[in-house]
Amino acid sequence: MLRKLISTPGRLALGTALASLLVLSSCDQQDTRLERARDLAEATMDQLSGRTIVEPDAPKPLEAADVMDRAIAGTLRNDMNFETASASPMFAVGSIIAKPRDIPPAEAMAVVEDDEVFLEDPEAFDEFSDDPVEAESAPAAESDATAPITSAPAPSRSLSVQPARVMPKVKLDPKAREKTLQEIDKASRQLEQTAAKEPSPTARTRSLNPRSLESAPVQEKVAARKLARRSVISRDAITAQRDANSVMLDTLSKYGMGGEVALSREGQMVIQIGEDGGSPTRFTPAGSPRNTMQNFLAVDAKLECPDNPDMVTVQSSPVLATECIVKDLKASGQFEYVEKDYIFENQFARKPRPDTPATGTDVTPDVITDTTITPNDPLWELQWHFQNNGTGEGESVGGSSFQEFWTRQGTDGSADVVVAVVDTGLQLEHPDIKDSPNIAPGWDMVSDPRMGNDGDGRDGDPNDPGDLCDPSVPFAEDTFHGTHVAGTIGAAATNNASGVAGGAWNVKIVPVRALGKCGGRLSDINDAIRWAGGLIPAEDEEGNEIWNDNPADVVNLSIGLFEYCPASLQDAIDSVTERGVLVVSAAGNARVATQYYAPGGCANVITVAAGDARGHIAPYSNFGPEVDLLAPGGDLTRDDNGDGRPDGVLSTKAATNCYDPVTGEAVEDCFYAFEQGTSMAAPHVSAALALLKARDPDATPEELKATLLAASSPRSAMQCSGSCALYPGTTPIEGSSDMCTRPCGQGLLDLAMVPERPTGGGGD
């Protein structure tokens, strides 16, 4: 039957905006440029007018499902303000990240050259011989293109525990200088002893070619993969950190302050100022909306330390103390970089606000009668973002053609492909996730219990307990952001007649919690990226090393900071990408050039802007030459497919103020929600890379990225445009002087553009 559309066109309501953006004469005025960008983001807040909510009769799969398997949150909104990211970022008071100069890039326990993995010696496998995770299933057989796709067996949830080799922490006490120097030497000797026990990265006595591993024992395959990632403790890093600790001690002595320094394998150090590890409870940041809740965070007001600061003045202001110590450490010439521990935010693009849904009306549903692979999840019909790109029945002009890929390529993914989601964690008891075979052991990297919201610091539980920052803010709520992101990639059990489908039905998801209450520390995110990539271990309660038994092929970063890419974050990204990890980042929701944003503006990431159901760049999305690709991010104020529901991205997460999409009746709580943001766009690309890796397991990261970018539908200037009044400084489109271009990458993600694999018989 033909689709019957219900359409009440909405339009963009233009508000007052800046008339122009001053052009700076000098390219090196980065701080000024960044401040102008922040001013612009705040000045161009606009409203988008939506449509009247119209609920059509639901398709039959919805009608057959239990209410709790289909109830959703999120309705069309005609008075919604898009919330840009914080124009003034925050940082953790008294927490500083630094790396000494002249430390060579960290080496791995195995070397990869010319498609060969060189292991250190045959005994290297012994470390994994008793690892319960080693008994992984062989790669799943490819499914027939017309047959139902089944899920892979669930992997073991257990973690291997290695002997204690954790990185030491050193107390810096200016009042006991000699004792502190002895502690520094002791920590250095401890690192040297640990380094002596590790394999030498230059001794290559055994090689395993990945293409020859098909007949090798599964245990050797897994061991090779793990060892090829792990960083050995650098002896250069040991020496450099020892010397840097002495400089830090001298700096703290200048201000009569103590602290604690955590050492690392690759040289990145985190120093916490203060007797209790950088927790100055006396400080309350003036004007901060979070000052009633989080007095250990501060707005980065670019406070400058005076040339000759008074010790008493510095001691009375932890924020000034942080700035002064950063300044002095930079001036010492000892460090490659020194920076504050910035706080990153998730990239939802909305202010949480309850809505009352309307009831259903009599509308003829779509009927799809083709032979394409279609999951039986009841909410699939509402996931326009996965549908084939087009204007026909069951298609969307903003869709990314996942359904076409499943059908033509004959694969829904592979349990051998790993995607790590560095985010707020995962709701492990979510009904569509708790029995999913796609969840692998993760880790909680939130170090500060005040931000953790779970009563402790880092541990092996990546469950998301909620991230509500300030309950006094109207309509504030826990976002369960990581669950929504992971659900889009494939954390939810797909084709199980419940809830939603994921982009990769068969994939291994490693949840790494790095964001908690009020965001996530840069230092935690850096460690989360490295742990996800298999480079460094975490630490359990007994002080044992816990390595990621499933090193990521792809790391998803749906996070953001309105700041140039921090040096330590770039360092962490470079570390994992050099070992073959693909890093996917949200472009950000500040509606500015992505160069002002991190990690979207960092190097060596695949940066993803957000598109709506028309395939146009979304009004909240960042843009610019740093963007690689446009992918579905949603727009809750539009209904371009005419189904009476918002064009948001539908995925997993616990929500309130829900409704039954069949009857329109209110439901108090549910487990699925429409959301929007570049946070939603990035996981579509991560899922696409997981499918491409499953399709071509021997492909290099460079080859996978090239295939991904080629799998895109070019966008016209108008599809990547916005009102010039709202985006000052952008380039007017010829023939349409009121519209300005906003570069949005290679094009819209469209997996139908991926060519079919050659067959053994010489087919296409």
Side-chain angles (χ1 to χ4, degrees):
M1 287 183 288
L2 297 177
R3 182 193 300 263
K4 185 183 293 183
L5 297 178
I6 297 180
S7 178
T8 53
R11 63 186 182 85
L12 186 65
L14 302 180
T16 303
L18 295 176
S20 64
L21 182 64
L22 296 177
V23 178
L24 301 177
S25 60
S26 174
C27 293
D28 61 359
Q29 295 178 284
Q30 289 197 346
D31 289 340
T32 306
R33 290 168 64 90
L34 184 58
E35 288 305 314
R36 294 283 173 83
R38 290 177 178 143
D39 292 343
L40 174 61
E42 290 184 313
T44 59
M45 292 289 288
D46 63 312
Q47 288 187 334
L48 298 182
S49 59
R51 294 180 170 84
T52 304
I53 300 171
V54 181
E55 290 294 339
D57 287 342
K60 290 182 179 180
L62 275 177
E63 295 173 355
D66 182 81
V67 171
M68 294 314 296
D69 288 333
R70 69 191 186 199
I72 55 178
T75 56
L76 289 164
R77 300 177 177 183
N78 57 17
D79 60 348
M80 178 179 176
N81 286 329
F82 282 110
E83 180 182 20
T84 63
S86 299
S88 296
M90 303 189 78
F91 65 93
V93 177
S95 185
I96 298 169
I97 304 171
K99 183 178 181 180
R101 286 189 180 279
D102 302 325
I103 299 178
E107 296 179 281
M109 291 186 183
V111 179
V112 181
E113 290 181 1
D114 299 327
D115 256 354
E116 289 192 337
V117 181
F118 293 88
L119 300 180
E120 309 320 317
D121 58 68
E123 295 180 359
F125 289 116
D126 294 342
E127 181 181 2
F128 304 96
S129 59
D130 297 324
D131 188 347
V133 186
E134 303 312 331
E136 295 183 347
S137 60
E142 294 176 3
S143 57
D144 181 79
T146 59
I149 299 177
T150 57
S151 299
S156 170
R157 297 283 182 104
S158 58
L159 289 167
S160 64
V161 178
Q162 307 298 334
R165 302 180 192 161
V166 294
M167 298 298 100
K169 296 180 179 180
V170 180
K171 288 285 187 181
L172 301 179
D173 185 0
K175 298 177 182 178
R177 181 178 178 81
E178 290 304 317
K179 181 180 179 181
T180 299
L181 291 174
Q182 292 174 5
E183 290 298 318
I184 293 173
D185 288 338
K186 179 181 178 181
S188 299
R189 289 194 302 271
Q190 179 181 338
L191 283 177
E192 289 171 351
Q193 292 171 359
T194 302
K197 298 177 182 178
E198 293 188 336
S200 169
T202 57
R204 292 174 286 181
T205 59
R206 181 172 180 172
S207 68
L208 292 175
N209 188 302
R211 290 176 174 82
S212 69
L213 286 177
E214 294 182 4
S215 60
V218 172
Q219 186 176 6
E220 290 197 1
K221 295 180 186 179
V222 179
R225 183 180 189 181
K226 295 175 184 178
L227 288 174
R229 293 285 184 82
R230 294 186 177 185
S231 291
V232 297
I233 298 176
S234 165
R235 290 165 176 78
D236 292 312
I238 296 172
T239 301
Q241 289 179 97
R242 180 193 62 204
D243 296 342
N245 268 314
S246 298
V247 175
M248 289 179 177
L249 178 61
D250 292 340
T251 304
L252 291 175
S253 298
K254 175 181 177 180
Y255 302 109
M257 305 181 69
E260 181 180 79
V261 179
L263 310 185
S264 75
R265 287 176 172 262
E266 300 185 354
Q268 190 177 86
M269 310 167 74
V270 179
I271 178 173
Q272 303 287 343
I273 305 168
E275 295 299 325
D276 60 348
S279 174
T281 56
R282 294 172 296 171
F283 176 67
T284 301
S288 169
R290 303 168 183 173
N291 59 0
T292 58
M293 284 293 296
Q294 310 299 346
N295 57 11
F296 54 90
L297 303 180
V299 173
D300 187 10
K302 305 298 182 184
L303 182 67
E304 292 188 8
C305 177
D307 291 336
N308 297 297
D310 176 76
M311 180 185 295
V312 175
T313 302
V314 173
Q315 289 179 340
S316 65
S317 172
V319 172
L320 181 60
T322 304
E323 298 284 6
C324 287
I325 291 172
V326 167
K327 178 181 177 181
D328 287 1
L329 292 179
K330 285 182 176 180
S332 71
Q334 186 80 28
F335 299 92
E336 178 182 331
Y337 54 76
V338 183
E339 57 194 8
K340 289 168 284 193
D341 202 349
Y342 286 108
I343 303 300
F344 282 68
E345 301 176 325
N346 69 59
Q347 292 305 290
F348 274 158
R350 71 182 182 91
K351 293 181 178 179
R353 185 176 62 81
D355 282 293
T356 303
T359 57
T361 58
D362 185 15
V363 178
T364 303
D366 295 341
V367 176
I368 302 175
T369 59
D370 57 30
T371 59
T372 58
I373 291 178
T374 303
N376 63 14
D377 304 85
L379 295 175
W380 160 255
E381 293 296 332
L382 307 184
Q383 293 183 279
W384 59 269
H385 39 98
F386 286 142
Q387 293 174 355
N388 293 337
N389 189 276
T391 58
E393 294 184 14
E395 297 179 335
S396 170
V397 292
S400 46
S401 299
F402 275 76
Q403 189 174 30
E404 174 77 2
F405 187 94
W406 301 331
T407 301
R408 290 178 63 241
Q409 304 293 339
T411 179
D412 60 359
S414 168
D416 290 336
V417 178
V418 181
V419 180
V421 180
V422 176
D423 215 291
T424 64
L426 189 64
Q427 291 179 289
L428 296 174
E429 292 303 312
H430 188 286
D432 214 1
I433 291 177
K434 66 179 181 180
D435 295 324
S436 171
N438 298 346
I439 308 303
W443 201 263
D444 179 0
M445 278 289 177
V446 180
S447 59
D448 192 330
R450 296 166 295 189
M451 300 183 74
N453 202 29
D454 57 357
D456 55 26
R458 295 183 176 182
D459 57 35
D461 181 10
N463 187 66
D464 185 354
D467 58 355
L468 175 61
C469 182
D470 189 348
S472 67
V473 175
F475 309 121
E477 61 186 6
D478 293 313
T479 68
F480 300 115
H481 181 269
T483 302
H484 197 279
V485 169
T488 297
I489 298 171
T494 298
N495 211 35
N496 65 341
S498 176
V500 297
W505 301 17
N506 190 12
V507 69
K508 192 171 290 182
I509 301 289
V510 174
V512 189
R513 186 170 182 249
L515 274 65
K517 290 174 61 177
C518 304
R521 292 189 182 216
L522 172 59
S523 55
D524 291 342
I525 292 167
N526 291 337
D527 285 350
I529 292 171
R530 285 185 166 96
W531 185 85
L535 275 64
I536 66 171
E539 176 183 347
D540 69 6
E541 295 179 355
E542 287 74 38
N544 297 305
E545 290 186 349
I546 307 295
W547 293 84
N548 178 11
D549 283 322
N550 301 282
D553 298 296
V554 180
V555 172
N556 189 93
L557 301 176
S558 288
I559 59 178
L561 172 74
F562 205 151
E563 185 68 51
Y564 290 108
C565 183
S568 63
L569 177 61
Q570 187 65 68
D571 194 6
I573 291 170
D574 291 346
S575 292
V576 296
T577 54
E578 287 168 0
R579 312 288 173 82
V581 181
L582 288 159
V583 178
V584 178
S585 171
N589 303 330
R591 290 180 290 176
V592 297
T594 309
Q595 64 175 308
Y596 302 118
Y597 223 73
C602 297
N604 293 328
V605 300
I606 298 173
T607 301
V608 189
D612 61 19
R614 301 171 300 167
H616 292 199
I617 188 171
Y620 52 78
S621 179
N622 286 355
F623 53 89
E626 296 80 15
V627 172
D628 292 292
L629 207 61
L630 188 71
D635 186 340
L636 295 175
T637 71
R638 301 187 66 91
D639 177 23
D640 290 301
N641 60 8
D643 67 355
R645 300 180 178 87
D647 291 340
V649 171
L650 185 59
S651 186
T652 49
K653 62 167 282 188
T656 57
N657 299 293
C658 311
Y659 65 101
D660 184 342
V662 174
T663 66
E665 295 179 356
V667 178
E668 184 175 355
D669 302 304
C670 62
F671 299 102
Y672 308 94
F674 288 106
E675 294 290 356
Q676 65 182 9
T678 54
S679 270
M680 284 57 263
H684 283 83
V685 171
S686 293
L689 286 168
L691 292 176
L692 293 174
K693 178 71 173 177
R695 174 182 178 270
D696 296 304
D698 292 331
T700 66
E702 293 76 17
E703 291 169 342
L704 291 172
K705 182 177 179 181
T707 303
L708 171 77
L709 296 181
S712 60
S713 175
R715 300 290 89 184
S716 68
M718 288 300 293
Q719 289 172 315
C720 290
S721 69
S723 167
C724 295
L726 294 175
Y727 303 95
T730 49
T731 304
I733 297 175
E734 185 176 355
S736 181
S737 59
D738 60 333
M739 298 296 286
C740 282
T741 184
R742 294 185 292 151
C744 60
Q746 187 90 0
L748 176 67
L749 175 66
D750 186 356
L751 290 177
M753 306 290 287
V754 179
E756 292 187 46
R757 290 174 297 181
T759 65
D764 293 334

